[in-house]
Amino acid sequence: MNTIISQWRDSLHKILDIYERKRGSIRIFFPILFGFFIFLNVACYWLAIYTAFPYYMMTHEASHYVKLQIPVGIFGALFDSLSFFATIWIIRRALASNKTSEYVFHLSLDLIIAVLATFWVLFVFTFGGWMISLWETAPEQLAERGTKYTNRAIQAIQDPTGRENAKNIYFGLIMGISAALPTCMHLGLFFTSVLQKIFPKKKKVDPEKNDINTSLKPE
């Protein structure tokens, strides 16, 4: 197990080193990062809409869902950008730890970020949808909208196999892709380390060096 953790650490250290060497000025990097997460959140939003609830775009509320992509993209990018820098801090703390338990504990904090992302999605659709309704002909009450989405989340937990509930769970998973990237990266590096332990790479023998060593042997 120590070998796996050591390889895991080395892989994570290489990624952090690449980030610190390539990042450049934070004033340039942050707008690029923010724009990337806006694009990712909007793309996930439309992927979720057209795969889970395509009929929404055939109703009178279609314009509402088109407008909703704006707060989804901006608020989603805000959360993801902040969680990105939180992840970098977590990685640095993990690599600075001496004990394996401390290393694993620090990286597991990314799971908390993934959980918080679920509540953030509820907030975005509640608050963002309410803001958009203020410019529409039928403004909604923020409390009522919050209750509606909270009830949907509770129903999905109580009966995850229900048709509509399963769609809502799927929708939430798609919207949480961006927030789950750090966790997926850690798990990917861990499983890569495990595979490297199970199937170690064979060391390549340099034929030229081998010939030199052979020629030096006494006859």
Side-chain angles (χ1 to χ4, degrees), residues 24-192:
S25 172
I26 192 67
R27 293 181 180 179
I28 298 175
F29 177 76
F30 183 78
I32 295 174
L33 181 71
F34 194 79
F36 166 76
F37 279 125
I38 287 179
F39 172 80
L40 182 59
N41 277 276
V42 171
C44 289
Y45 171 74
W46 285 114
L47 174 64
I49 285 288
Y50 278 106
T51 54
F53 306 105
Y55 49 86
Y56 279 4
M57 302 309 297
M58 302 176 187
T59 66
H60 66 282
E61 293 183 330
S63 62
H64 174 82
Y65 290 103
V66 172
K67 297 172 186 174
L68 189 57
Q69 69 177 316
I70 298 175
V72 165
I74 294 175
F75 288 127
L78 178 62
F79 179 90
D80 293 335
S81 299
L82 295 177
S83 64
F84 174 87
F85 290 107
T87 298
I88 295 297
W89 179 83
I90 290 171
I91 290 175
R92 286 175 178 153
R93 295 289 298 176
L95 293 175
S97 61
N98 296 321
K99 297 180 180 179
T100 299
S101 57
E102 292 179 357
Y103 174 79
V104 175
F105 168 76
H106 279 97
L107 295 185
S108 64
L109 293 177
D110 271 329
L111 295 175
I112 298 177
I113 294 177
V115 173
L116 291 176
T118 303
F119 295 99
W120 186 257
V121 169
L122 291 175
F123 165 77
V124 169
F125 278 88
T126 300
F127 186 72
W130 170 74
M131 288 180 60
I132 291 174
S133 72
L134 296 179
W135 280 273
E136 295 179 335
T137 56
E140 298 177 314
Q141 294 295 322
L142 180 60
E144 292 179 359
R145 189 173 180 85
T147 301
K148 180 175 68 174
Y149 279 98
T150 301
N151 289 337
R152 287 182 182 178
I154 294 174
Q155 290 173 3
I157 295 173
Q158 293 176 342
D159 182 22
T161 59
R163 182 177 177 82
E164 289 300 315
N165 293 337
K167 287 184 177 181
N168 287 327
I169 292 174
Y170 166 79
F171 192 97
L173 290 175
I174 296 297
M175 290 305 303
I177 286 177
S178 57
L181 289 179
T183 303
C184 292
M185 180 192 70
H186 294 318
L187 291 176
L189 293 177
F190 172 74
F191 286 119
T192 300

